[in-house]
Amino acid sequence: MITAYLYGEPFDTEAVVEEVPIGDRQTRFTVTDEDGVRIFRAPLAPSDAVYGLGQTMRGINKRGGRYVSFNCDDPRHNDEMPSMYGSHNFFVVDGAEKYGAFFDTPARAVFEIGFKGSGEICVRCERDVKLYIIEGESAYAIVRRFLRAIGRSFVPPLWAFGFGQSRWGYKNEKDIEKVLFGYRKAGIPLDYICMDIDYMDRYIDFTLNKRRFPNFAAFNREMKKFGIRLVPIVDAAIKEEKGEPTYEEGVQKGYFCKNREGGYFRAAVWPGMTHLPDFLRPEVRKWFGRKYKVYTDCGVEGFWNDMNEPSIFYSEYTKNKALHKYILKNHKEDPDFVANGFFSDYASFYHEVNGKKINHYDVHNVYGYMMTRASCEGLSALTDKRFLLFSRSSYIGAHRYGGMWTGDNTSCWAHLRQNLLHMPSLNMCGFLFSGADTGGFMGNCDRELLLRWLALSVFTPLMRDHTSKSTRRQECYRYGKTEDFVSIVSLRYKLLPYIYSEFMKAVLNYDMYFKPLAFVFPEDRRAAKIEDQMMVGGSMMIAPFMEKGKSERTVYLPEPMTCVKYDGNNFLCRFFPAGEHIIIAELHEVVFFVRKGKLVPVGKGAQDTSSLRLDDVEFLGDGEQYELYADDGYTRDVSLDRIRILKK
């Protein structure tokens, strides 16, 4: 059961698409008002676990932490970081009492979950809120009920499940060709190459640098002959420049956000001073989305949106950075103030919604969501096939329009572990097509870390190696002994019949693709506390290696399972009873587990998905049949009717 409760006149984020009844009196939280901030409190029993909150730091069980929903561009990903690129205000309490809560507000909100041993949940909402309470018999059932209420997740084409290579610093055709031929020569599978801001003319959206890409359409066609898609980046802000068509049209039609004085708000990002499209308006979303025609006319089928928190270097009000210095000096002990892009800029511009002027600060968290929506709706009008779209900033609801990646991480073991921890929490909030920058965006990734990170990314729907131009080159073929990388990346392609099937079934059944062990084995107290193992789909459990220098680790099996080790050539299977076991995996090997009575289909593999057959499979495990989802990889009309029952 799901019921909504209104506190004030909340902004309609359109995160929930189902008609939900409005209740008269909710009893889960006590509510007080302190200086205009609504405070919701609920008791937390000593044994209660709390799951959810999407893209937040710390563990899967959020108990003991403080989390601030206020989207920010801050790469300092550590356990004390209050905010990240997305805000996902849904959590589930799992104890003697079980319920879910979604605080639907696009403004800043603070979640303290048993913080400092308080024994309570305390949520502070700075603006009006619509609170959804979801009841159910288990935490897992509550999540699935919530997923149905917020609508089906975005479905990309099959090729988007292949391996992708990206780097901030690929500047021209020659750079991209080197990457393609480096992978093909090494025999490492690859499906797409991402193009960061250097492909643009002076970092201006919807432009191509003619010197670096003299005939982009022809170049894109040539890449497709090699099985490679090009995936360009699109940023949120439009450069302020007379004669630039998108800028001129946006000014003429009044499509940009306004400043305090009623003029267009001016903020600096990569191209210099820019204007921000007012994505909260349907006509602006339609206008912006159709601008992708520049790319689709060249045959482009995939995109990634960035800088859409929105990220602001400085604004017309803080150009001399005097206010920034003041904030850093006087609020240096307040991580919220320093980390969240300086609130002053976000309070200095306005949106127009249904004829009303709304301060951006009050709706900040839906800006990136509405950009993703604009892109998806525009691309849906421009092409009749599925397309790849993933974004950095998000709010619940954006999952219907695109996937997401977890932002500017670092090449370190802690961020590899956080990658795993993020996945189920994001799934709980609808974001199934997700993943991290494999190898880390910042820092110099060493060989061991990249191989271990790839061994995790094999199982994430979005599998992309991405790094900054200030780091060492991170393409897999540059690390020597390339057969180790062939081994791991080729496993991804062999497992695609399973990964694609389980993803599609999760989407269509309003389910999770990544699940914590606690959701599948709720009566097993030990399993409920394990956070370095994860269920993937309905048949598989993974236990990644996430410590430097370690080739063995302990794994706990809540039930008997088949342990599968892939060594680059063969799947070595061994049946393990329930309990604790030591497993060993060298750097070129990947270990996973198949549940008792289940099957995992394994295909022949390929150098790219164009030659991949989803239905030509063998099976691992001791089950009798498997529900395989197979289609052409492009059809928009996805349906459970495309499931085929295959017997072992």
Side-chain angles (χ1 to χ4, degrees):
M1 185 176 71
I2 179 169
T3 308
Y5 301 90
L6 299 177
Y7 295 89
E9 298 180 1
F11 181 88
D12 184 8
T13 66
E14 301 182 61
V16 174
V17 295
E18 184 181 282
E19 288 291 332
V20 176
I22 304 297
D24 295 327
R25 179 174 174 269
Q26 69 87 16
T27 57
R28 288 294 181 184
F29 295 88
T30 59
V31 187
T32 58
D33 191 312
E34 297 181 14
D35 298 324
V37 175
R38 282 193 177 83
I39 302 178
F40 298 78
R41 287 188 167 91
L44 202 56
S47 60
D48 287 350
V50 180
Y51 304 109
L53 293 181
Q55 190 185 21
T56 46
M57 296 299 291
R58 301 172 66 90
I60 298 172
N61 183 352
K62 296 302 177 182
R63 187 166 185 143
R66 178 178 181 271
Y67 313 93
V68 179
S69 285
F70 199 81
N71 296 355
C72 74
D73 175 10
D74 187 343
R76 296 174 295 175
H77 303 173
N78 59 66
D79 279 356
E80 301 309 313
M81 183 176 176
S83 305
M84 295 192 74
Y85 306 93
S87 293
H88 313 114
N89 302 343
F90 169 69
F91 61 80
V92 179
V93 176
D94 188 13
E97 294 281 327
K98 304 178 193 297
Y99 66 93
F102 173 38
F103 289 80
D104 191 5
T105 172
R108 186 173 182 268
V110 179
F111 295 80
E112 295 180 345
I113 312 294
F115 187 51
K116 296 183 178 179
S118 67
E120 70 169 8
I121 294 173
C122 180
V123 182
R124 294 177 171 83
C125 297
E126 295 189 359
R127 298 295 184 268
D128 295 345
V129 60
K130 192 172 187 178
L131 171 60
Y132 294 85
I133 299 294
I134 306 98
E135 308 285 353
E137 61 183 15
S138 68
Y140 185 25
I142 289 167
V143 168
R144 295 192 66 183
R145 181 66 187 89
F146 179 66
L147 292 175
R148 184 174 294 275
I150 61 176
R152 196 180 77 187
S153 295
F154 166 78
V155 177
L158 174 62
W159 65 262
F161 290 84
F163 180 52
Q165 179 63 55
S166 182
R167 178 179 174 85
W168 177 19
Y170 296 155
K171 291 187 176 182
N172 52 41
E173 294 180 359
K174 186 176 181 180
D175 287 344
I176 292 172
E177 287 172 343
K178 284 182 179 179
V179 173
L180 162 63
F181 293 122
Y183 272 94
R184 291 293 184 253
K185 181 179 179 181
I188 304 171
L190 186 71
D191 258 275
Y192 62 93
I193 299 173
C194 291
M195 302 165 63
D196 214 311
I197 56 177
D198 291 309
Y199 82 86
M200 302 179 189
D201 177 16
R202 295 172 294 130
Y203 309 138
I204 301 173
D205 275 354
F206 311 118
T207 67
L208 293 155
N209 187 305
K210 296 296 185 182
R211 180 174 57 84
R212 296 175 177 177
F213 296 91
N215 190 335
F216 182 69
F219 181 63
N220 189 52
R221 287 194 298 271
E222 191 66 20
M223 288 292 104
K224 286 186 179 182
K225 291 178 182 178
F226 290 95
I228 297 296
R229 265 80 175 184
L230 298 179
V231 179
I233 196 171
V234 177
D235 286 345
I238 302 299
K239 181 173 175 58
E240 178 187 68
E241 181 173 290
K242 289 185 177 180
E244 202 285 307
T246 304
Y247 167 78
E248 293 282 10
E249 187 178 3
V251 168
Q252 180 185 6
K253 294 185 176 181
Y255 283 169
F256 297 121
C257 294
K258 301 293 183 64
N259 62 16
R260 301 169 187 165
E261 293 75 31
Y264 291 118
F265 178 68
R266 305 174 66 240
V269 205
W270 297 119
M273 294 306 285
T274 64
H275 291 344
L276 293 171
D278 190 353
F279 292 122
L280 275 62
R281 295 161 56 187
E283 66 271 25
V284 178
R285 291 197 297 270
K286 182 176 181 180
W287 165 75
F288 187 88
R290 296 299 178 96
K291 293 297 177 182
Y292 285 75
K293 190 174 187 295
V294 169
Y295 308 111
T296 58
D297 281 352
C298 295
V300 175
E301 303 172 51
F303 305 87
W304 51 308
N305 287 347
D306 199 7
M307 305 295 285
N308 52 356
E309 290 72 31
S311 183
I312 294 174
F313 296 165
Y314 59 84
S315 77
E316 58 188 309
Y317 298 108
T318 56
K319 189 172 182 179
N320 61 9
K321 302 188 180 179
L323 182 58
H324 286 211
K325 291 179 181 178
Y326 170 82
I327 291 171
L328 287 170
K329 179 180 178 181
N330 293 281
H331 297 275
K332 61 184 178 181
E333 302 303 325
D334 184 350
D336 296 348
F337 234 107
V338 177
N340 284 310
F342 306 117
F343 292 173
S344 59
D345 281 338
Y346 292 139
S348 297
F349 67 96
Y350 297 82
H351 299 271
E352 180 186 310
V353 180
N354 298 324
K356 294 182 179 179
K357 183 179 178 181
I358 296 181
N359 189 279
H360 173 80
Y361 182 91
D362 296 338
V363 291
H364 172 71
N365 291 335
V366 297
Y367 190 80
Y369 157 27
M370 291 300 171
M371 180 192 178
T372 302
R373 179 176 179 178
S375 305
C376 178
E377 291 174 343
L379 289 166
S380 297
L382 291 168
T383 177
D384 59 357
K385 296 180 179 180
R386 285 186 241 162
F387 45 83
L388 171 61
L389 178 64
F390 58 99
S391 179
R392 190 170 74 177
S393 180
S394 61
Y395 182 84
I396 292 174
H399 70 283
R400 299 191 299 270
Y401 302 102
M404 62 165 287
W405 92 102
T406 56
D408 296 347
N409 58 3
T410 298
S411 299
C412 64
W413 293 90
H415 285 187
L416 167 57
R417 291 188 288 273
Q418 193 65 49
N419 183 177
L420 180 68
L421 295 172
H422 271 145
M423 293 299 101
S425 299
L426 288 170
N427 277 205
M428 291 178 212
C429 297
F431 293 92
L432 300 190
F433 190 77
S434 55
D437 284 347
T438 298
F441 178 70
M442 296 179 297
N444 297 309
C445 188
D446 64 36
R447 189 174 189 276
E448 179 188 8
L449 177 58
L450 183 54
L451 283 164
R452 291 305 194 196
W453 209 318
L454 285 164
L456 168 59
S457 296
V458 158
F459 303 100
T460 62
L462 173 61
M463 184 186 184
R464 179 182 73 145
D465 179 333
H466 181 47
T467 189
S468 171
K469 64 181 179 181
S470 61
T471 70
R472 68 176 289 183
R473 302 299 295 249
Q474 202 167 283
E475 296 85 8
C476 296
Y477 55 83
R478 295 182 182 274
Y479 284 81
K481 200 182 177 185
T482 55
E483 58 266 31
D484 289 355
F485 293 89
V486 172
S487 173
I488 293 179
V489 180
S490 67
L491 174 61
R492 167 66 166 213
Y493 286 75
K494 290 177 181 293
L495 287 176
L496 273 180
Y498 178 77
I499 292 168
Y500 187 67
S501 291
E502 296 303 304
F503 177 90
M504 295 301 293
K505 288 185 288 188
V507 168
L508 294 167
N509 290 313
Y510 301 98
D511 204 346
M512 299 168 66
Y513 171 83
F514 276 103
K515 294 181 282 288
L517 270 62
F519 280 24
V520 180
F521 306 101
E523 303 304 320
D524 189 323
R525 293 185 178 181
R526 181 171 179 182
K529 296 180 180 179
I530 291 175
E531 298 198 344
D532 64 348
Q533 301 172 207
M534 204 72 63
M535 308 306 297
V536 178
S539 301
M540 183 187 291
M541 186 187 79
I542 62 172
F545 285 73
M546 299 180 291
E547 290 188 57
K548 183 176 178 59
K550 300 288 186 179
S551 59
E552 67 176 47
R553 61 157 292 174
T554 301
V555 173
Y556 172 70
L557 304 186
E559 65 181 11
M561 295 185 185
T562 299
C563 176
V564 180
K565 179 188 289 188
Y566 182 69
D567 65 3
N569 296 302
N570 302 297
F571 290 94
L572 309 174
C573 300
R574 180 183 173 190
F575 188 75
F576 281 4
E580 190 174 281
H581 302 273
I582 301 295
I583 60 170
I584 298 173
E586 302 303 330
L587 289 180
H588 68 287
E589 297 175 326
V590 180
V591 175
F592 58 91
F593 298 82
V594 183
R595 296 187 65 189
K596 182 175 175 57
K598 301 287 187 178
L599 293 174
V600 169
V602 175
K604 298 294 191 294
Q607 284 296 291
D608 60 75
T609 54
S610 65
S611 58
L612 191 74
R613 284 192 59 186
L614 293 173
D615 58 355
D616 184 9
V617 297
E618 298 178 350
F619 292 103
L620 303 171
D622 62 356
E624 296 181 358
Q625 63 183 35
Y626 180 77
E627 294 183 345
L628 182 84
Y629 187 99
D631 59 17
D632 61 9
Y634 290 96
T635 303
R636 281 193 191 172
D637 184 21
V638 296
S639 168
L640 289 172
D641 293 340
R642 291 184 170 82
I643 290 178
R644 295 170 52 190
I645 305 297
L646 300 184
K647 295 185 182 295
K648 187 175 182 181

